[in-house]
Amino acid sequence: HDSKSYEAYDSSGTDGIKTVCYYGATFDGRYVIFTPRDTGDGYHSRVLRYDTHMDFKHSASWSAHDANLPHSHQSAAFDGHYIYFCPGYEDTPDSVISEAKLSGKVLRLDTKSDFKNPASYSVFDAKTLSAETVCYDGGAFDGRYIYFVPLATGVVLQYDTTGDFENRDSWRYYDARPLGMQANVGAVFDGRYLYFVAYGHGLMVRYEFAETGKMSAFLAYQGVSLNTIIRERGLAHSKLRGT
């Protein structure tokens, strides 16, 4: 509760570009890397980074790089070497989310290479796997695999970090809709299970890590009143397109 515990820094013009509106962040041991979302008039890929070894309020502590992928990125996952930015929506001229196309392009940053070198960034388009491996909101790492959390489709995406990022054989997907999988934002791993965070509803889905890995679901609420409130606010899960 001590105001001296808090500091603020305006990073909006870092390295001379419009660095605003971020959606999640990751920490690689030294740097905090912020996930790019939009500028207010369109999506962007201007990755923002803060050096925790330097003064928080000093401009030299901050840097930015435009990865030239103007899609919506929705949080990220880190495997100890690479950061994977989760794809959301493709850019549209009027930036109307309800009309935006769903993106499957996973942007990856090599944290051990030059932050501003375009070669440090690579892209894999998950749409090459399925038209439904699109629009993810958060990711998690289990020590080998990266899991991308489905916001719009109910189809979970998995990447094997021991494989080639740009090779389709390194990727798999699982349709969890038969379990009732709906919209999710983020996930958490407890060493055995991966828990998907329900958004706009109460159906909690988890994945068990074992050779015969399986998913299970639990309805966290059954109250009519909450469903009614959600519908009245226009957030019914069947209509969810973004946050």
Side-chain angles (χ1 to χ4, degrees), residues 48-234:
L48 181 65
R49 188 180 74 169
Y50 164 62
D51 186 345
T52 64
H53 289 192
M54 299 178 66
D55 184 350
F56 179 71
K57 301 175 73 172
H58 197 296
S59 61
S61 306
W62 296 81
S63 54
H65 175 75
D66 192 339
N68 195 31
L69 182 64
H71 287 196
S72 154
H73 307 277
Q74 299 171 163
S75 197
F78 178 53
D79 68 3
H81 185 167
Y82 297 98
I83 292 175
Y84 305 81
F85 298 102
C86 306
Y89 299 86
E90 296 182 14
D91 205 4
T92 56
D94 55 7
S95 199
V96 177
I97 288 179
S98 62
E99 298 177 2
K101 295 180 180 179
L102 306 184
S103 172
K105 292 186 177 180
V106 179
L107 175 66
R108 186 179 77 166
L109 166 61
D110 184 346
T111 63
K112 299 185 185 299
S113 297
D114 182 357
F115 176 66
K116 293 188 177 183
N117 186 342
S120 300
Y121 297 80
S122 53
V123 176
F124 176 80
D125 190 351
K127 277 187 179 180
T128 61
L129 305 173
S130 167
E132 295 186 298
T133 45
V134 292
C135 196
Y136 293 91
D137 199 316
F141 179 55
D142 72 352
R144 174 173 176 173
Y145 298 99
I146 297 286
Y147 293 84
F148 296 86
V149 178
L151 176 65
T153 67
V155 179
V156 182
L157 179 64
Q158 180 200 66
Y159 166 61
D160 184 347
T161 62
T162 66
D164 182 352
F165 178 69
E166 297 182 4
N167 189 328
R168 294 175 73 254
D169 292 338
S170 303
W171 297 78
R172 297 189 300 175
Y173 60 92
Y174 177 79
D175 187 350
R177 286 173 295 187
L179 289 173
M181 172 81 86
Q182 300 168 31
N184 300 274
V185 287
V188 63
F189 177 53
D190 70 0
R192 178 181 177 184
Y193 295 99
L194 180 72
Y195 301 83
F196 296 88
V197 182
Y199 176 64
H201 59 91
L203 187 72
M204 310 305 295
V205 176
R206 75 177 183 180
Y207 171 67
E208 180 178 3
F209 292 79
E211 286 188 18
T212 57
K214 62 182 180 179
M215 289 196 180
S216 55
F218 171 73
L219 185 60
Y221 74 85
Q222 296 182 9
V224 175
S225 59
L226 181 56
N227 276 321
T228 302
I229 292 171
I230 291 172
R231 290 194 197 96
E232 289 177 349
R233 293 182 179 177

